[in-house]
Amino acid sequence: MMQIYDLEMRLQNYVYDEFDQMMDEDFIEFGTIGTQYTKQNQLNAIGKESPPTERFLRVEDYEERFVDESVILVTYKTTNILTKQQALRSSIWRKKEKDWKLFFHQGTLIK
């Protein structure tokens, strides 16, 4: 589903208003360094006045699987184009009314 792919890619820009709109209120993330984040943690880290970030992750092996009609599991591999560090990533998106919201995300470094 191209819509979810586009949402995942827009999140790489780290734009406060987009994060606020796209993330579920119950969002949780397990980051690549083992840190747990909430929606508010992410919004605080971005800051309202921050300019969009240039994308620095190359995405490969992108797949979507419907868990049911309102939940999608997304998996993919990223490569940081600056450091060459790779990570496996997974996201769970759930549909709330007519919009898809990011409910969960996890990144795991590839050694």
Side-chain angles (χ1 to χ4, degrees):
M1 174 182 266
M2 190 58 86
Q3 178 184 10
I4 300 297
Y5 178 82
D6 291 341
L7 293 173
E8 286 275 351
M9 296 306 104
R10 282 174 49 202
L11 287 172
Q12 288 188 33
N13 295 326
Y14 294 93
V15 174
Y16 184 95
D17 290 336
E18 288 189 353
F19 261 64
D20 192 29
Q21 178 187 10
M22 287 190 276
M23 295 170 88
D24 192 278
E25 292 304 316
D26 297 325
F27 171 81
I28 190 166
E29 175 178 352
F30 299 132
T32 56
I33 60 171
T35 305
Q36 182 174 321
Y37 303 97
T38 64
K39 178 179 181 175
Q40 196 57 55
N41 295 141
Q42 291 288 25
L43 292 175
N44 291 344
I46 295 168
K48 281 192 171 193
E49 305 303 320
S50 296
T53 301
E54 188 172 330
R55 289 188 184 160
F56 59 91
L57 296 176
R58 185 177 71 238
V59 174
E60 302 172 74
D61 303 329
Y62 181 89
E63 291 186 30
E64 294 178 2
R65 294 176 187 88
F66 277 90
V67 177
D68 67 28
E69 68 271 354
S70 63
V71 177
I72 296 177
L73 169 65
V74 175
T75 58
Y76 54 98
K77 180 171 75 173
T78 58
T79 302
N80 182 312
I81 61 175
L82 304 173
T83 66
K84 307 302 183 218
Q85 179 64 59
Q86 294 184 311
L88 297 175
R89 300 185 183 272
S90 59
S91 299
I92 297 176
W93 290 81
R94 64 182 181 183
K95 197 163 199 173
K96 292 256 185 126
E97 297 174 17
K98 63 180 179 19
D99 296 321
W100 287 99
K101 302 286 185 179
L102 182 59
F103 175 70
F104 174 81
H105 182 77
Q106 180 170 354
T108 304
L109 291 178
I110 299 172
K111 297 197 178 197

